[in-house]
Amino acid sequence: MTRLQRSRTLRWLCTFASLVALAIVLFPVYAVVVASFESTYTLFSGTYHFWPASPTLANYRTVLSAQAANVVTSLIVGLGTAALALVVAVPAAYALSKYRLRVTVVVVSSLLIAQIVPSIVLATSLFIIFHWVHLVNTYPGLILADGTYAIPFAILVLRAFFFSLPNEVMHAAKVDGASEWQTFTRIVVPLARSAVITVAVFAFLNGWGDFIFALTVLNGATIQPITLGIYTYLGNYSTDWGAVMASAVIAIVPAAVMLILAQRYIASGLTAGSVVG
Amino acid sequence: MAIHERDPGMVEGGGQRRGSSPPDGRSGVRASDPTRLASWLSLERKQRLAGWAFLTPAILYVLFAFALPIIYNIVLSFEQTSPATIADITAPFAGLANYRFILHDPTSIAAIVHTFEFTGGSLVGQFIIGFSLALLFSLRFPGRTFARSLVIVPWLLPLIVTGVIFKFLFQLQGGAVDQLLVNIGLVHHPIDWLDNPHLALWTILIANIWLGVPFFTLLLFSALQDVPLDVKEAALMDGAGAWQRLRLVIVPIILPVIEVTVLLGFVFTVKVFDLVIGLTGGGPANSTQLITTWSYNLSFQQFSFGEGAALNNLLLLLAVICAPIYLMLNRGSLGRSSGVER
């Protein structure tokens, strides 16, 4: 083989290897979509079908009536988490990047460590703390708890972004007589639009996909997000796999939409929160 | 019970306190003219006040949602809790009884052992696969961008959904994994992935490796992108083989990123909860019980919040051991500011 041929073969080998990797990565997602269209009879036949044996929408019909309220709940929680994250994180990230404050080191260190703290530790305490302040079983309580995923990440990502913002822009605004607040709302936030959207998307996904706080700080069936709805299906000995899979597909939809819409932000956003240095 | 204004994060070094720090007096005022100094000072102060105003919501949030629960968790671990005490702020002091309990409770000990096995196994698997994929994606071949953009999919799914999907794929009756293994002739009889206590830990391990590989791939890939081309070429000129180039040239360069990635992989794996609850619920016979799931069980199913909190503190200790290392690796950016007044 010539050198050229060998390198061409090598390239196609790489393509093949990454296709195998992708197949393994994507198969579970494929399987859940297929199973959601499968009839109950097929699902319990004891044979797995890689393609729906008898496609049906029955599972979605079951689930739409049972989970519609849960989807609304999850949307409220997701949007609430995104709103909370933005209100807290955008100004904080601005302060931590553009103002010389003595607490910067302490606050940034705390945020890095906050990302490490296991949610079950927070959930156990928050459950009892929420009892005193009557936040158990409320949207504000759940959203405050879900913010623990989103807020440290959002501040660190936005801070990294604000570093790249030239100071001249803010300086010019102040020379023109803008106050600190006006500079922030009219100049800085619009310029940071893409980063703000990225953290909002992640905060939404955090709130939408949260399970541990829904399981702990919600203590009853009055508020039930879709993640909890899926979990309650599993409780029994005979799981209604069709319903579980259709609910799972619904729970995946926002992630899929985000992947398509915000593709270019996601990869950078995911890594930026981890390695700030 | 006094809640100290102490930041949870400051485990490294001298344990500084926040909240009582005096206003910064050493700002860059270089005006030699004393009459202009006054106006400069007021501008300085105005800016500092604005900075504090922007930061206050975040500080309050961190105190309420992180510092308070962590401190309360420690208090709780020394209390004799019962379902009746949940409504109260405090319960009777219990000394070290909760800690004694978890050191003698066979399930707690098993959960601790499982957590280490699960975390160690996950890290090894995720690193090997993630690094291989990162190397693969840094080669030039048709479809590499496409493959790279899709490899992060596992990361975007709600974790409980991942657990449920794997439960479906690994089930004995009509599970895709067993059917595939039987079809290609790797095994003769379907494997009981979920109900065999000797296998179930492997099952959650496989699912977690699947879940964590994208994180390793992405971080290591971006590190590989930053390796200067001429360094690679120089090594090639010196006649180094592929393995030698990797071991002696590339790995040393990206070592800092490898360290951060493994460290974060560790803290993320130690806190895995949803996946296991969805997949096995800690069973069968507690064989997949981790610190997180058993702590949940103690607190929220047996209502022994004190015992749950004691186990939580062990978990917190594991995570916090990593904190100084993590801060050190990030030290460059901690106090950085690119402020206007610079």
Side-chain angles (χ1 to χ4, degrees):
Chain A
M1 261 198 296
T2 67
R3 207 188 154 86
L4 186 71
Q5 275 174 321
R6 206 169 60 201
S7 83
R8 194 173 294 160
T9 321
L10 207 66
R11 275 184 199 177
W12 286 110
L13 215 65
C14 288
T15 307
F16 178 74
S18 55
L19 281 179
V20 172
L22 273 191
I24 296 170
V25 164
L26 297 179
F27 179 72
V29 182
Y30 168 81
V32 65
V33 176
V34 167
S36 71
F37 291 107
E38 213 60 285
S39 70
T40 311
Y41 175 78
T42 321
L43 284 170
F44 283 89
S45 67
T47 321
Y48 180 77
H49 294 271
F50 289 88
W51 186 251
S54 45
T56 167
L57 286 173
N59 299 322
Y60 285 96
R61 257 177 252 128
T62 315
V63 160
L64 277 181
S65 53
Q67 300 280 2
N70 299 347
V71 169
V72 175
T73 301
S74 290
L75 279 174
I76 295 172
V77 175
L79 292 173
T81 308
L84 176 71
L86 291 187
V87 167
V88 173
V90 181
Y94 180 56
L96 292 171
S97 59
K98 295 296 183 193
Y99 288 85
R100 287 171 68 196
L101 299 169
R102 243 198 174 180
V103 285
T104 299
V105 181
V106 181
V107 174
V108 175
S109 307
S110 320
L111 293 169
L112 285 169
I113 292 163
Q115 289 191 305
I116 293 177
V117 177
S119 300
I120 186 70
V121 176
L122 302 176
T124 309
S125 296
L126 282 179
F127 174 72
I128 299 180
I129 294 169
F130 281 3
H131 252 290
W132 317 336
V133 290
H134 302 289
L135 282 173
V136 172
N137 263 328
T138 62
Y139 281 108
L142 184 57
I143 290 167
L144 275 172
D146 284 351
T148 58
Y149 303 114
I151 287 172
F153 171 81
I155 297 178
L156 295 172
V157 169
L158 286 169
R159 179 171 179 253
F161 180 85
F162 284 140
F163 280 141
S164 68
L165 220 59
N167 293 330
E168 288 73 26
V169 184
M170 284 162 287
H171 195 67
K174 282 179 190 154
V175 167
D176 288 346
S179 69
E180 303 282 334
W181 176 249
Q182 283 168 329
T183 310
F184 174 66
T185 52
R186 300 210 187 140
I187 309 292
V188 174
V189 173
L191 281 173
R193 207 170 39 230
S194 68
V196 170
I197 292 171
T198 308
V199 300
V201 164
F202 276 104
F204 175 84
L205 287 180
N206 286 145
W208 172 274
D210 161 65
F211 171 70
I212 188 163
F213 289 115
L215 187 66
T216 51
V217 304
L218 300 180
N219 186 23
T222 42
I223 302 176
Q224 179 166 285
I226 183 139
T227 49
L228 217 50
I230 294 173
Y231 178 62
T232 51
Y233 275 132
L234 292 181
N236 323 337
Y237 278 93
S238 60
T239 305
D240 180 358
W241 280 118
V244 172
M245 293 293 120
S247 320
V249 169
I250 295 170
I252 292 173
V253 165
V257 173
M258 300 301 173
L259 185 68
I260 296 162
L261 290 185
Q263 228 250 70
R264 65 204 168 105
Y265 302 122
I266 285 178
S268 55
L270 282 171
T271 49
S274 322
V275 189
V276 234
Chain B
M1 183 195 63
I3 290 149
H4 298 289
E5 284 266 290
R6 185 181 210 160
D7 199 277
M10 291 317 299
V11 285
E12 47 107 72
Q16 309 165 27
R17 280 164 194 250
R18 65 148 303 284
S20 60
S21 57
D24 187 358
R26 320 168 272 112
S27 310
V29 185
R30 277 183 212 89
S32 51
D33 184 354
T35 49
R36 291 177 66 187
L37 192 67
S39 70
W40 264 106
L41 268 180
S42 76
L43 185 69
E44 278 272 325
R45 193 192 291 157
K46 215 170 83 186
Q47 278 181 338
R48 200 178 313 124
L49 271 175
W52 273 100
F54 285 134
L55 199 52
T56 302
I59 290 176
L60 291 177
Y61 183 81
V62 168
L63 289 176
F64 173 75
F66 289 100
L68 177 64
I70 288 170
I71 293 162
Y72 186 63
N73 197 73
I74 295 169
V75 173
L76 208 53
S77 71
F78 292 105
E79 285 182 348
Q80 178 74 52
T81 57
S82 68
T85 64
I86 293 169
D88 302 328
I89 296 174
T90 52
F93 184 66
L96 290 170
N98 295 321
Y99 290 95
R100 266 200 297 277
F101 167 80
I102 57 167
L103 290 179
H104 289 102
D105 170 38
T107 315
S108 296
I109 294 166
I112 295 165
V113 173
H114 294 156
T115 301
F116 279 106
E117 291 171 341
F118 176 74
T119 308
S122 292
L123 284 181
V124 170
Q126 289 168 352
F127 180 77
I128 293 174
I129 300 172
F131 197 27
S132 310
L133 285 180
L135 285 171
L136 178 66
F137 291 152
S138 60
L139 300 171
R140 301 199 139 277
F141 61 89
R144 67 194 273 256
T145 324
F146 174 75
R148 193 154 41 83
S149 63
L150 279 181
V151 88
I152 59 169
V153 163
W155 216 347
L156 298 171
L157 309 184
L159 290 162
I160 185 74
V161 170
T162 307
V164 167
I165 297 175
F166 273 87
K167 188 184 169 88
F168 175 70
L169 295 177
F170 276 114
Q171 59 179 332
L172 190 60
Q173 292 289 318
V177 174
D178 272 336
Q179 189 152 322
L180 200 69
L181 291 177
V182 171
N183 282 357
I184 60 175
L186 227 57
V187 295
H188 290 295
H189 301 287
I191 298 168
D192 196 356
W193 292 99
L194 294 168
D195 293 324
N196 181 341
H198 300 292
L199 271 180
L201 196 63
W202 284 99
T203 311
I204 62 167
L205 187 63
I206 292 169
N208 192 57
I209 290 174
W210 180 86
L211 192 64
V213 159
F215 175 75
F216 277 75
T217 306
L218 223 59
L219 286 187
L220 296 174
F221 172 79
S222 59
L224 286 174
Q225 293 305 99
D226 294 341
V227 176
L229 202 63
D230 50 334
V231 173
K232 286 187 259 189
E233 276 167 0
L236 201 60
M237 291 294 209
D238 292 345
W243 174 248
Q244 275 181 314
R245 256 180 296 155
L246 182 66
R247 198 168 59 89
L248 300 172
V249 180
I250 294 173
V251 169
I253 292 178
I254 64 166
L255 197 63
V257 180
I258 293 180
E259 287 167 354
V260 176
T261 312
V262 172
L263 189 77
L264 287 174
F266 176 82
V267 297
F268 290 160
T269 312
V270 152
K271 52 177 171 172
V272 166
F273 175 81
D274 309 26
L275 182 74
V276 179
I277 292 287
L279 196 47
T280 62
N286 290 326
S287 62
T288 56
Q289 209 69 258
L290 303 179
I291 296 179
T292 51
T293 56
W294 186 239
S295 155
Y296 167 75
N297 192 301
L298 286 173
S299 298
F300 290 93
Q301 304 208 299
Q302 305 179 25
F303 296 105
S304 303
F305 280 89
E307 289 161 2
L311 202 53
N312 277 346
N313 280 335
L314 186 71
L315 189 66
L316 197 60
L317 190 71
L318 275 184
V320 158
I321 287 170
C322 301
I325 314 170
Y326 187 36
L327 291 182
M328 207 185 68
L329 292 169
N330 274 301
R331 64 188 173 280
S333 88
L334 287 185
R336 197 177 145 203
S337 91
S338 63
V340 221
E341 58 270 59
R342 247 200 185 169

